[in-house]
Amino acid sequence: MRLFHYHLVTRKVREVEARYLGKLGFELVARHGRIGDDTTSFEPGLSWAELEEMGFKLRLSELERGAVNVVIQPGQWELPRVDHLGLVLEDEELATALERALERDLRVQEHGGRRTFVTTKAGYRLELHPPREWIDELLAGDKELRLAELHLRADDPSAKASALAELLDLPTENGGIEIGDTIVRFVPGGPPGRPELHAELFV
């Protein structure tokens, strides 16, 4: 079981994107959106000004470095909030996690057999994947960067942590859950609903 992805929502998409590209050394995978009624994506090479001239409306900006994939989506909040965490599980782990979700009457949505979203009832979702070649490549041991800790600010850290730990059948300690080689820690002082991104530790 590994955490490889998180999806942020903020009204300051360009500033948050610039932080990952400039300060943290991530690479832009693509910007996904629409021009008129047509869905389209643009790989690196076009500036925001050029995209605006084309009438491009952003839906998602996808960034990547090492074993970490981050997606940024336009939304109402100045400080980025986490919509969902992306995890890869072994087939048996995935089946068991989905059984727990159904036992707890959590909403489960499958997307074309490629991924499954589970709503935790704690303000955020989980995006669950079975083993996949492209995720294995992303998480390969020779990658130069991985996410060691992800700190999320929440109104009720204990409830947020418990929702994640119970679904994955993992222990919690001081609001933290160890998922593979990443610790997800919920800290106080955040808003209700989706937790705020508070801190990241990359190694």
Side-chain angles (χ1 to χ4, degrees), residues 23-42:
K23 292 185 177 180
L24 299 176
F26 277 65
E27 294 182 358
L28 177 66
V29 176
R31 296 183 180 116
H32 309 280
R34 305 182 74 87
I35 295 178
D37 294 329
D38 297 324
T39 301
T40 186
S41 297
F42 290 97

Side-chain angles (χ1 to χ4, degrees), residues 166-183:
E166 289 174 8
L167 186 63
L168 300 178
D169 194 25
L170 294 172
T172 63
E173 185 175 348
N174 299 323
I177 305 100
E178 189 172 348
I179 304 173
D181 51 12
T182 301
I183 295 174

Side-chain angles (χ1 to χ4, degrees), residues 85-106:
L85 303 173
L87 302 100
V88 59
L89 297 86
E90 296 298 330
D91 290 324
E92 187 174 337
E93 291 176 329
L94 178 59
T96 303
L98 294 179
E99 286 178 10
R100 291 193 199 97
L102 294 175
E103 288 170 358
R104 290 165 172 75
D105 293 322
L106 302 180

Side-chain angles (χ1 to χ4, degrees), residues 23-146:
K23 292 185 177 180
L24 299 176
F26 277 65
E27 294 182 358
L28 177 66
V29 176
R31 296 183 180 116
H32 309 280
R34 305 182 74 87
I35 295 178
D37 294 329
D38 297 324
T39 301
T40 186
S41 297
F42 290 97
E43 295 182 356
L46 290 175
S47 68
W48 281 110
E50 290 171 313
L51 292 173
E52 285 180 345
E53 288 178 6
M54 299 165 62
F56 177 73
K57 300 296 182 185
L58 180 74
R59 185 176 66 88
L60 301 171
S61 177
E62 183 179 1
L63 307 133
E64 199 168 275
R65 182 181 170 194
V68 187
N69 177 277
V70 176
V71 165
I72 309 167
Q73 174 186 332
Q76 61 181 305
W77 299 289
E78 180 172 352
L79 296 177
R81 296 199 192 184
V82 171
D83 176 81
H84 64 263
L85 303 173
L87 302 100
V88 59
L89 297 86
E90 296 298 330
D91 290 324
E92 187 174 337
E93 291 176 329
L94 178 59
T96 303
L98 294 179
E99 286 178 10
R100 291 193 199 97
L102 294 175
E103 288 170 358
R104 290 165 172 75
D105 293 322
L106 302 180
R107 185 180 183 189
V108 177
Q109 297 173 285
E110 292 190 9
H111 284 252
R114 298 180 299 112
R115 54 187 175 164
T116 302
F117 283 97
V118 177
T119 301
T120 64
K121 293 185 181 179
Y124 62 94
R125 302 181 297 160
L126 300 180
E127 178 185 337
L128 305 180
H129 291 257
R132 300 188 188 284
E133 185 175 344
W134 68 269
I135 298 178
D136 290 342
E137 292 175 359
L138 183 70
L139 297 174
D142 60 349
K143 293 292 186 180
E144 76 276 11
L145 186 88
R146 68 174 180 84

